[in-house]
Structures are given as structure tokens and as C-alpha cells.
Amino acid sequence: MANIVVIGAGIGGLPTAYELRHLLSHSHQVTLISASPKFTFIPSLPWVTMGLTALSDVQVDLKTAIANRGIELIIGQVTKLDPINREITVKDRIISYDFAIVATGAELALDVIPGLGLENGYTQSVCNPHHAEIARQAWVKFLENQGHLVVGAMPGAGCLGPVYEFALLADFVLRKAGKRQEIPITLITPEPYAGHLGVGGMANSAELVQNLLASREINLIENAAIDQIFPDQITLGDRQEIPFNYAMILPSFRGPSFARKFPGLADEKGFLPVLPTGQHPQFDSIYAAGVAVQIQPPETTPIPVGVPKTGQMTEAMGMAAAHNIALRLGEISGSPVKPTLEAICLADFGDMGIAFIASPVLPDPVTGKRRNAVALQGRWVSWSKVAFEKFFLTKMRWGLAVPWFEKLGLKMLGLSLVEPLE
């Protein structure tokens, strides 16, 4: 009997645990370790902050969801991963494993400059449910007192979609409340141009994003490095000073701290290198999915910008890891697979949105092109994102990873999660 441990129960970890349970016979054990007792649909946290949806509506109780599904749940923070002895430490408990999949999501680099973050600083974030709840309380106070709103990202930040979503969603909410004229909005991005998204742009993404920001009268500062943060002011690397009364600043991400502790397991930021199969090149019992995976940027930018690891990319990495582990255990036949890293990204701005479709997300390193890329805007994007949120939460409640009809829908769009490894 093998014990396969999934570390993390987010968009990557929970579906991966479901897929493992689907692929493996019950002679094998599947263990899920989560730092939180609840699954949270992270993409919806900007709406939580704005009071447009309740946090409880985008969460699933893990104990209830995996009940009677043949998955052991351990609630706690992983403090150590020993790939030599194949042991994971959670508090004072040591779990032995045969295979481990690291799908922890992001650790936030809030210590890079003073003033960043909400515990020891002056800015908000929407990267986890705790932060979103605090940002919500601060937002209510901000609406009472008003002032300058600043939305931005730190150098090295990846997955910049929430920055644009937050700024444009705030514009939508403030207009509905009749307060937009009194509240100027400034967006600060490390990208060389708005719509770059850390991947050199997608089709006409730059044009759509920049035109939309201009039409909503949002002041845009591109190619900007946030250098210092004070209680009411952000200073950029060029010494430009931006006043604020409310600031949502997306921090850069790190991989899990336990990965940084073991020599050779991760890079200095905690991101794990992986082979196309999702397997660690040095420790063959370790796989990784999502934010924890090391992916090099497709190009060098004047100010560092991280590579996005979208929800669909994360799911694909988890599905590939589950398939390849089942293959190694002799539970299925066929060939190893790799994640396609194709993605549909839905950015909702309240009364409209932009859909980015990229196949794959990262352009070819030789040609600099993708097989397919398109960016479309319209009110239908907002509806689609709401529908997808409900669909994903239902999957997590029902114990489904990627049902056949989801695969069919992706196929109709010319997309897939995994493909045979050449």
C-alpha cells in the first residue's frame, strides 16, 4: 500500500486529492493536509472585500466535503518536508509518505519593504480569506471617509489579474454608490505596460486593458517599482509620491517556507523545479502544482514581473501529477502526461469583464508566439465568472476533480488540461 500526501487544499490541492482517489484503488491511501479547515475560492475574494458576496458563500468545509470519500484529512501547518526519509512534519506529528504533491498556494512576501501588508503595514490584500475580511472592514471605513484609492502590485508579483479586477470593480461599486467623482483611483503596475500580465501580453490584452482604464478615468502608472510605503503615501523608485487613504497592494509570492529549508528542494524563493511530468528532478517522490512550481518568465522586463499560475494551469498540473503517480503505481496504463498550461482567465469588473484565452499561457521560447490567443470583453464575461465560481464550488462539494462534461467543454474551445508526454 502506498500513501500519497497532498499538501494544500486549495484550487490545486483539493481537486488533485479527488483525482487521486478516483484513479487509485482503495489499497492505497490518499492524505490531504490543509492549513485551513475550509476550501476557499480565492478568485472571488475581491468581491468579498467589496461586500458583493459573503466569504461563507465562496467556501467549502473540508471535513464535510471529503466525508466518506476515502481521503484522510489533516488540519495543520506543514513545518518540515524531508524528501530523503519521505517524512512530513505537521506540528508534532510525522507523516510518512510514498509520494507527496506540494500544492500549497502562495506564501506572501510581505516583509520585502516596511509598510507592506496589514499586520505590520498600511496596505490591504485579497490573497487569502483572512486578508479579504480585514480588507472588507477597512473598505467600509474608507467609504465613510473617502479619499484616494490606490491599487497596485509589488515588483515580482505574478497573476496580476486581481489588480485590474480590484481597480475596475471598485470603480463599478463607487459609481453605483454615487461616490466615484470624490474618489480618484490610481493603478500602479510593475509591468512594462498594462496588459502585459507577466507573459508578454495575450493577443490584444494591452489595448483592451488600457482603453478600459482610460474610459473609467483610472490613473495608470506603468513600469513602476513600489519602493516605500508610509501610512498615507506610497513612494516609487523614481521618487514619485502617491497619496492614499486605502491601498490594495498585491505582494509578490513565495513558495512554502518548508521547501526553502531543505537544500536542493526549492530555489531561494521556495519554488520547486519540476520536470514536464510535475516530478521534482532530484527527489522522485515529490511532485508540485500551482504557485509552488518554479516557472521562468518568458522575457526579462525592466522591473521584475512574476509568471501567472492561473487556476486552470494549477488544476492541469495537479491532474498530471495524479495521473503520473497512478501510472507509477501500476493502477492505470498508458503514457505519462504533462500539463498543457493552457488557460481561460475571466476578469470580472462588475458590469463587464475581459476573457483571456491562451493556448498555451507561455509563448514559445523560440518564436515568441502561441498556438492561439484571444482577449474578448463584454458583459457576458461577468456572468461567466459567476457561473464558473458556482460550478467550481459545486465540484468541490461533490468530490469531483474534472468531470467528463468539463473536459468536453474545454475540448470544444480547443483546450485541454493534459497531453501525452512526447
Side-chain angles (χ1 to χ4, degrees):
M1 181 191 80
N3 183 22
I4 301 89
V5 177
V6 180
I7 306 175
I11 287 178
L14 186 54
T16 301
Y18 287 155
E19 183 70 0
L20 284 166
R21 189 69 284 165
H22 171 69
L23 294 174
L24 302 178
S25 67
H26 283 268
S27 62
H28 300 294
Q29 181 175 335
V30 176
T31 302
L32 179 65
I33 302 176
S34 176
S36 169
K38 294 182 182 294
F39 166 87
T40 301
F41 190 72
I42 298 295
S44 292
L45 291 184
W47 289 257
V48 173
T49 300
M50 300 288 172
L52 300 176
T53 189
L55 178 60
S56 58
D57 290 341
V58 297
Q59 290 186 314
V60 174
D61 181 76
L62 290 173
K63 186 176 180 180
T64 302
I66 68 170
N68 303 316
R69 300 197 190 281
I71 299 173
E72 180 185 2
L73 175 64
I74 298 174
I75 303 298
Q77 193 79 42
V78 173
T79 56
K80 182 179 179 181
L81 172 59
D82 182 349
I84 301 297
N85 296 307
R86 300 192 179 188
E87 292 178 340
I88 296 169
T89 302
V90 180
K91 297 181 182 178
D92 56 352
R93 178 178 177 181
I94 296 178
I95 300 103
S96 298
Y97 68 87
D98 295 279
F99 297 101
I101 302 175
V102 179
T104 53
E107 181 180 299
L108 308 181
L110 296 172
D111 56 351
V112 292
I113 61 170
L116 178 64
L118 45 98
E119 279 88 4
N120 300 305
Y122 316 107
T123 66
Q124 308 297 326
S125 85
V126 291
C127 298
N128 62 48
H130 173 63
H131 285 185
E133 287 278 69
I134 295 175
R136 167 64 184 156
Q137 297 168 16
W139 178 257
V140 172
K141 292 181 180 179
F142 171 69
L143 292 181
E144 294 173 355
N145 301 313
Q146 303 183 31
H148 288 76
L149 172 61
V150 174
V151 183
M154 291 296 297
C159 200
L160 291 157
V163 173
Y164 295 111
E165 284 187 316
F166 196 96
L168 289 160
L169 194 64
D171 171 85
F172 168 74
V173 170
L174 293 172
R175 288 183 190 278
K176 284 189 67 176
K179 298 181 178 183
R180 180 64 176 89
Q181 294 303 316
E182 292 78 35
I183 299 178
I185 302 177
T186 298
L187 189 148
I188 304 170
T189 178
E191 303 161 277
Y193 55 85
H196 178 278
L197 305 174
V199 292
M202 295 182 190
N204 57 328
S205 62
E207 178 185 359
L208 289 180
V209 169
Q210 292 169 22
N211 288 344
L212 191 54
L213 293 174
S215 70
R216 300 292 178 89
E217 300 178 299
I218 294 175
N219 180 38
L220 173 63
I221 304 176
E222 303 165 303
N223 199 37
I226 295 175
D227 187 58
Q228 297 182 71
I229 299 176
F230 301 97
D232 57 359
Q233 176 183 292
I234 292 173
T235 302
L236 305 182
D238 61 3
R239 313 320 302 167
Q240 185 177 178
E241 297 176 345
I242 313 298
F244 74 87
N245 299 88
Y246 186 104
M248 196 294 286
I249 305 298
L250 187 73
S252 58
F253 293 164
R254 296 190 185 113
S257 57
F258 64 78
R260 301 195 297 271
K261 295 177 181 178
F262 197 94
L265 182 58
D267 62 20
E268 68 280 359
K269 292 186 177 181
F271 298 127
L272 282 72
V274 295
L275 302 171
T277 56
Q279 186 179 21
H280 196 283
Q282 184 176 347
F283 306 106
D284 67 355
S285 65
I286 301 290
Y287 290 75
V291 175
V293 172
Q294 180 190 74
I295 299 180
Q296 296 300 327
E299 63 182 15
T300 301
T301 54
I303 296 171
V305 181
V307 175
K309 295 146 188 176
T310 68
Q312 188 173 331
M313 293 170 67
T314 296
E315 267 198 289
M317 294 179 200
M319 296 306 100
H323 176 100
N324 293 329
I325 289 173
L327 193 64
R328 290 179 66 183
L329 290 172
E331 291 288 319
I332 60 174
S333 59
S335 302
V337 298
K338 64 177 181 179
T340 60
L341 301 186
E342 301 171 345
I344 304 173
C345 303
L346 302 172
D348 175 27
F349 310 138
D351 56 349
M352 67 165 307
I354 299 178
F356 305 98
I357 303 175
S359 175
V361 169
L362 298 176
D364 185 275
V366 177
T367 66
K369 298 181 179 180
R370 301 174 177 87
R371 291 191 301 275
N372 183 37
V374 63
L376 304 169
Q377 73 175 36
R379 185 179 293 271
W380 61 272
V381 179
S382 297
W383 302 334
S384 297
K385 180 144 189 178
V386 172
F388 181 73
E389 172 202 287
K390 304 304 181 188
F391 169 70
F392 200 96
L393 288 167
T394 299
K395 286 201 308 176
M396 297 305 97
R397 293 187 181 101
W398 290 0
L400 300 173
V402 185
W404 65 268
F405 47 87
E406 183 178 357
K407 295 177 182 177
L408 178 61
L410 290 172
K411 186 176 181 180
M412 292 173 65
L413 292 171
L415 303 173
S416 62
L417 292 178
V418 299
E419 62 186 4
L421 183 63
E422 297 177 0

